Amino acid sequence: MATQKQLIDDALSSGSFPGLPQGHFIDGAYSAAASGRVMNSLDPGRGEAFAEFACGDAADVDAAVTSARRAFEAVWRDTPAVERGRILYRAAALIREQAASLAVVECLDSGKPIGEAQGDVQGAARAFEYYAGACDKLQGDTFPLGPAYLGYSLHEPVGVAAQIIPWNFPISTAARGIAPALAAGCAVVAKPAEQTPFTALRLAEILLEAGLPAGVCNVVTGTGADAGAPLAAHGEVDHITFTGSVASGTAVMKAAADNVTRVVLELGGKSPVVVLGDCDREAALDGVMGAIFENAGQICSAGSRLIVERSLHDGFVEELCRRAEKLTLGHGLRNPQLGPVNSAEQLARISGFMERARERGVEVATGGAETADPQTGKGWFFQPTIVGVPGRDDELVQEEIFGPVLTVQVAEDADHALALANDSQYALVAGIYTGSFTLAHRLAQRLDAGQVYINEYFAGGIEVPFGGNKKSGFGREKGLEGLLSYCRTKSVAARI
Ligand code: NAI
Ligand code: MG
């Protein structure tokens, strides 16, 4: 097997990757779009096409849902839990075996630095491992109805679970949805983002190789309008997990309402990082840098609002700027500290925010402009950017930018920091840096967020439930709660 270095060198010199999947993955095999249409996938590091994939529509979605429904009813829902677990364990092992090539594909398709892509692939393997172990621990309750009755509950699989996946974490978002769905006994139809179709396809192929019966996991590629919308509106889909923008999530929820289909929505964020004067300054500096510049800020849970106590502010922000200016930029395959953003559209969106900010007279502490790979002059790059925010209502502090742009607000004390942190339409995550155990947990109680990180941003793993409040959505993925979202409870009461 080629080493990671060989795969990276080959991809850098050829600009592509051999043997990429072509077609949808339906009923255990690759197939072309019914319409015959294809579209390009682009390499953000160069801003150029590197491969083609199937451009699916309602006909392909229908074939995939039909395949999933058949496989669910014929085999998967009745496959013993221990056997489901064994298949998922084998999938985890195969992901680890193929990790080097999966990471290169992820890097080319999404633009993210190869080191981050490697981490995402390991995270995907870990999701399968975690839910593999959970399959045979999914158990119901008994109810104390007295000696004349027997009452108990069953966790039944919901049925066909759709996964609508974004481009910022293609393989890890696919894995964190597909693994619990399969563990619960559901069949899956996944629709990866049109910017990043390949690793979801590879995942479906790996699952087949691991022993998953054909048709239990299907992948349809294509745009949100052509393939995502018909999937969300399909009457034979029993559950939808959607990760992406508020606008598309709202459209999915409306489509689901017509069929009374259940949804889990993981939408945007504008997450605060509260840094108090008594914190470990080094840990906070590292944490804030990672919170906003990892994956070029294109993370729903990015820490995009720094709220720093006045006593620490001046030197802290100066040091952040110094570090931001030193970050290396480049093609993801060269493993820079900051990669490109995912698309020309995303770059334009970020630039739009900064242009409007300049027109309002907002002062940019560092960065603020588009740039390119210094080695090739190509690609969709945005400078690491830090902005002191003039007011709480400024769009820079209220809207999700989804790029490497950090806003800074000054807090007088912890209560003020809390008020600023909760002043948002979003409530996905929140970070806290403080040396006070008591203060950290008091703030954790009061912060409006689905999860709180204390003294390490992004702390946690697949074990920890993840999801948002307010416009960040509802429902939880990851953890045992993520597994239960693919189940429906049946209560049985019998007179005996
Ligand atoms: P998007 O929400 O349109 O795309 C996410 C997924 O939804 C893709 O697979 C897309 O094909 C699909 N989709 C789009 N419209 C759909 C519809 N009507 N029905 C069913 N599926 C549909 O996000 P987009 O346009 O790529 O990015 C726009 C903004 O959304 C970003 O700037 C960012 O602010 C936010 N976003 C948030 C993400 C998160 O992790 N929460 C991930 C991606 C984007
Ligand atoms: Mg791409």
Side-chain angles (χ1 to χ4, degrees), residues 244-301:
S245 64
V246 176
S248 299
T250 306
V252 165
M253 192 171 163
K254 284 182 178 160
D258 285 337
N259 297 313
V260 197
T261 303
R262 40 205 275 176
V263 290
V264 167
L265 298 180
E266 205 270 85
L267 308 177
K270 191 75 190 179
S271 299
V273 192
V274 173
V275 176
L276 298 179
D278 68 347
C279 72
D280 174 340
R281 189 171 179 272
E282 272 307 302
L285 284 164
D286 289 347
V288 171
M289 290 293 290
I292 189 61
F293 297 128
E294 194 177 304
N295 203 20
Q298 303 164 113
I299 309 184
C300 50
S301 51

Side-chain angles (χ1 to χ4, degrees), residues 171-191:
I171 192 168
S172 48
T173 309
R176 83 174 183 206
I178 292 172
L182 297 179
C186 291
V188 168
V189 178
K191 208 298 282 174

Side-chain angles (χ1 to χ4, degrees), residues 164-169 191-195 222-225 227-230 232 242-249 251-252 266-269 298-301 346 349 400-402 428:
I164 301 178
I165 300 162
W167 41 262
N168 54 338
F169 285 90
K191 208 298 282 174
E194 53 271 41
Q195 296 85 352
T223 65
F242 173 88
T243 304
S245 64
V246 176
S248 299
V252 165
E266 205 270 85
L267 308 177
Q298 303 164 113
I299 309 184
C300 50
S301 51
Q346 192 57 30
R349 202 170 290 146
E400 181 175 56
I401 300 174
F402 226 59
L428 188 55

